[in-house]
Amino acid sequence: MRTVIAGGHGQIALRLERLLAGRGEEVAGLIRKPGQADDLRAAGAEPVVCDLEAASVEEVARHLEGADAAVFAAGAGPGSGTDRKDTVDRAAAVLFADAAERAGVRRFLLVSSMGADREPPAGTEPVFAAYLRAKRAAEEEVRRRAGLDWTILRPGRLTDGAGTGRVTLESRVERGDVTRDDVAAVLLALLESPHAARATLELTGGDTPIDRAVAALGEQAAKGRD
């Protein structure tokens, strides 16, 4: 299996790259800065320099050729303003989805954010409000694509503690924290689950082992067919 990750130098992406490489799978990460390449190689990933704020859909599609899955884990990051929330968190996600369709890569995971499903409350810090609106717009665009077996994952507040391997993963959960380790592990499990396609899921730390939480998606789907 070959997976291509947008935002390949991000904290979640690097964790996912290590997990995929550790299983002997092929993984490539799109990065904006050539100086980030060694970090990807150390994680077991192939670095691919591609600025999603400047690339064409044809260029990105070439990087996706032959892939089995695509994961959008890019973000403008701390310190960026409202403009880059739109150009990265929305426009780059849409570009990556367009490119995946063009390259024939059906499996597509979008890392979004809890709270992206609603208008930010009055008084929300303007840049964070722009971030949530950009994530919501990206979700809406991805859902429209008939050529993708998409899954949207909305983690809660991200922390750097050691992963627990236990989460709460459902279509709607109470707000809470989740480690980046556990987010990466959930993404790995979702890549392999046929039952996660066309699902929007929220994620926090919890009590359910990750493999069980993902397996439960299939049980829920089966109940829906009965």
Side-chain angles (χ1 to χ4, degrees), residues 131-211:
Y131 166 78
L132 291 175
R133 292 186 184 111
K135 287 295 190 186
R136 181 175 62 188
E139 288 187 9
E140 291 170 352
E141 286 287 344
V142 167
R143 288 193 193 96
R144 293 191 182 107
R145 278 156 174 73
L148 299 180
D149 293 329
W150 53 263
T151 302
I152 295 168
L153 183 65
R154 296 175 180 155
R157 192 179 74 89
L158 299 171
T159 69
D160 287 325
T164 66
R166 293 178 176 269
V167 298
T168 299
L169 178 70
E170 297 176 14
S171 59
R172 183 77 65 186
V173 304
E174 293 294 324
R175 288 181 177 271
D177 296 349
V178 61
T179 70
R180 288 179 172 86
D181 283 351
D182 285 334
V183 175
V186 167
L187 288 170
L188 179 69
L190 291 174
L191 281 170
E192 299 177 338
S193 172
H195 307 296
R198 301 193 170 272
T200 300
L201 303 166
E202 296 186 345
L203 172 68
T204 62
D207 298 322
T208 306
I210 288 171
D211 57 351

Side-chain angles (χ1 to χ4, degrees), residues 1 40 59 62 75 83 85 113 127-128 132 141 143 198 206 209 223-224 226:
M1 182 170 178
L40 268 72
E59 178 184 351
R62 285 196 295 272
D83 289 347
K85 299 305 182 191
S113 173
V127 174
F128 186 62
L132 291 175
E141 286 287 344
R143 288 193 193 96
R198 301 193 170 272
K223 289 179 181 177
D226 291 343

Side-chain angles (χ1 to χ4, degrees), residues 99-120:
E101 277 196 305
R102 186 163 300 195
V105 182
R106 291 200 62 90
R107 193 73 181 99
F108 188 94
L109 270 58
L110 173 68
V111 182
S112 186
S113 173
M114 197 172 290
D117 59 326
R118 61 185 73 93
E119 179 62 16

Side-chain angles (χ1 to χ4, degrees), residues 49-72:
V49 178
C50 178
D51 184 352
L52 292 176
E53 291 178 273
S56 67
V57 64
E58 292 81 8
E59 178 184 351
V60 181
R62 285 196 295 272
H63 296 313
L64 284 161
E65 288 177 1
D68 300 287
V71 180
F72 186 85

